[in-house]
Amino acid sequence: MNIDQRSSPELTTNAQLCERDNQTNAQLFERAQRVIPGGVNSPVRAFRAVGGTPRFIRRAEGPYLWDAEGKKYTDYIGSWGPMILGHGHPAVLDAVHKAALDGFSFGAPTEREIELAEAIIALVPSVEQVRLVSSGTEAGMSALRLARGATGRSKFIKFEGCYHGHADALLVKAGSGLATFGHPTSAGVPAEVVRDTLVLEYNNVAQLDTCFAEHGPELACVMIEPIAGNMNFVRASVPFMTRLRALCTQHGALLIFDEVMTGFRVALGGAQSVYAGLIPGFKPDMSVFGKVIGGGMPLAAFGGTKDVMSQLAPLGPVYQAGTLSGNPVATACGLATLKEISKPGFFEALSASTRSLVQGLCAVGHDAGVPLVGDSEGGMFGFFFAAELPQNYGGTMATDKECFNRFFHAMLDRGVYLAPALYEAGFVSAAHSRADIDATVTAARDSLRR
Ligand SMILES: *Cc1c(COP(=O)(O)O)cnc(C)c1O
């Protein structure tokens, strides 16, 4: 059908499109709010935590974003982690172009799915088999179901401040008192659905001991962000992780690493390779991936030992499926991304660049007499307006929010796009040059001076 023959009232002419090209962020936000709840398709994009108008992004290249008003930003979100190579990496673009020409989706197996599974298994030794899905939420939800199905147990532990996607059983916060059952954090999640979710404080060994002593034989699994990026940037301490591993093994509960954010981001082997370097022989029983493995396309995965994974349909009794799972364009994007980050020296350079950003920010804070601390691993970082690095969710939320919000907007004005909430981690890509990092530190110096 010729476009001019359509008489739909929604028909947008080229002239209207050009006109719309000039709409400001505020105009777009208003227009978006008419047709999309809150104007966004994922809540944190709405800038509620920091106030102000979200920027509508028109395009991106390398480490930069351009908004609807043509303003340029240095991007420290990278789509919340996936864009580890920066935007529009030529090798990735090429792989996506080629894959798209061969077809968008078949609903039948492809060789590329095998290649991606093989690549993940080669990089993450704890994973013997892996299943591909389309989002981190789906991967986390499926991993939980599989852990419950494989152990025949219902209860599991999660930690306050860790985010594992928005599956019902995972939208829980701690109840009152020690190791009590959690409360739903969303309307629409019935209390009985989270009855078996035990919520503990991150990095609290004593709570872990008490909870296992009480519920050990009933626990299917423990799900954890090993380096938590949803309470800014908080590492699980080595004593805590060591105890957690020992307790899971002792009680037959599966230790699930949610590496949706950290996988292929903090190191080529993910956070588990970092802990394996600190705790001899360490590995989790299951892992959940997302973000970087899709390189910006909807792709995620969960994996573990052959024993556990063989409980999944069609081999075993645990059901799990997906129309777009292992999508041929998404797997091409993910594979091309993994290939680039596997090149010698990639993580050394990315880590050095990220570390120099955090050190620069801390030095600027010191010079301005503002308490500012930070930490990083690989291409993931966090900084806090506080005297010491927080150890858990309460600690992060107790840092100076007013200061963070003012800093966020001062940086945004200066063309630096940081995560719009103090409880989110930041990301540096391989496309960020020394000059980009230096310019950001200079912008931070100006921002803090005010
Ligand atoms: C982003 C994230 C998820 C959810 O992934 P989606 O693709 O947004 O569903 C789960 N776990 C962690 C640790 C994450 O950072």
Side-chain angles (χ1 to χ4, degrees), residues 42 80 134-140 162-166 224-225 227-230 258-262 288-291 299-300 427:
S42 199
W80 301 93
S134 303
S135 75
T137 291
E138 204 187 342
C162 286
Y163 178 66
H164 305 295
H166 60 90
I224 186 169
E225 280 186 78
I227 298 174
N230 288 288
D258 181 347
E259 297 228 43
V260 171
M261 192 179 283
T262 54
V288 182
F289 302 105
K291 299 194 168 111
L299 185 82
F427 304 97

Side-chain angles (χ1 to χ4, degrees), residues 20-222:
R20 282 183 179 179
D21 276 349
N22 295 324
Q23 286 194 308
T24 63
N25 291 305
Q27 284 168 327
L28 288 169
F29 192 38
E30 201 199 294
R31 187 172 138 215
Q33 284 172 286
R34 275 185 237 135
V35 288
I36 300 170
V40 292
N41 283 311
S42 199
V44 75
R45 297 179 196 169
F47 276 25
R48 288 283 174 109
V50 291
T53 308
R55 301 308 192 259
F56 282 71
I57 304 305
R58 186 174 292 161
R59 61 178 287 268
E61 195 181 312
Y64 310 120
L65 302 170
W66 284 265
D67 73 8
E69 296 170 21
K71 186 174 162 80
K72 180 181 173 188
Y73 302 88
T74 305
D75 179 17
Y76 289 102
I77 301 185
S79 184
W80 301 93
M83 310 315 296
I84 193 165
L85 299 173
H87 300 277
H89 187 283
V92 179
L93 273 181
D94 189 47
V96 168
H97 277 152
K98 285 192 177 126
L101 290 175
D102 285 338
F104 285 8
S105 186
F106 313 122
T110 61
E111 184 174 0
R112 213 172 287 130
E113 293 162 81
I114 313 171
E115 287 175 34
L116 184 55
E118 286 169 347
I120 294 170
I121 289 163
L123 296 175
V124 187
S126 72
V127 175
E128 293 172 0
Q129 286 199 332
V130 63
R131 177 151 288 171
L132 305 180
V133 295
S134 303
S135 75
T137 291
E138 204 187 342
M141 177 188 81
S142 304
L144 174 60
R145 183 184 305 141
L146 177 56
R148 284 170 154 175
T151 58
R153 302 171 178 184
S154 298
K155 287 190 179 26
F156 72 98
I157 293 174
K158 86 173 278 291
F159 298 95
E160 187 101 48
C162 286
Y163 178 66
H164 305 295
H166 60 90
D168 284 0
L170 291 161
L171 289 180
V172 196
K173 66 172 188 281
S176 50
L178 185 69
T180 53
F181 303 106
H183 295 309
T185 51
S186 167
V189 177
E192 48 272 32
V193 174
V194 300
R195 203 186 47 198
D196 292 326
T197 310
L198 302 161
V199 186
L200 306 185
E201 189 176 71
Y202 201 75
N203 276 331
N204 187 327
V205 177
Q207 276 193 13
L208 208 53
D209 281 331
T210 307
C211 191
F212 266 94
E214 204 169 316
H215 301 287
E218 308 162 88
L219 289 170
C221 62
V222 177

Side-chain angles (χ1 to χ4, degrees), residues 373-432:
V373 289
D375 195 4
S376 70
E377 189 71 40
M380 175 174 164
F381 70 92
F383 66 92
F384 306 85
F385 289 101
E388 277 173 36
L389 289 172
Q391 294 303 306
N392 53 44
Y393 181 69
T396 292
M397 297 316 278
T399 63
D400 193 337
K401 180 170 176 243
E402 284 312 306
C403 194
F404 174 84
N405 289 356
R406 265 182 289 139
F407 182 70
F408 168 82
H409 279 293
M411 292 294 273
L412 196 65
D413 288 346
R414 288 168 175 75
V416 179
Y417 198 109
L418 298 167
L422 69 75
Y423 48 82
E424 301 286 359
F427 304 97
V428 173
S429 81
H432 288 77

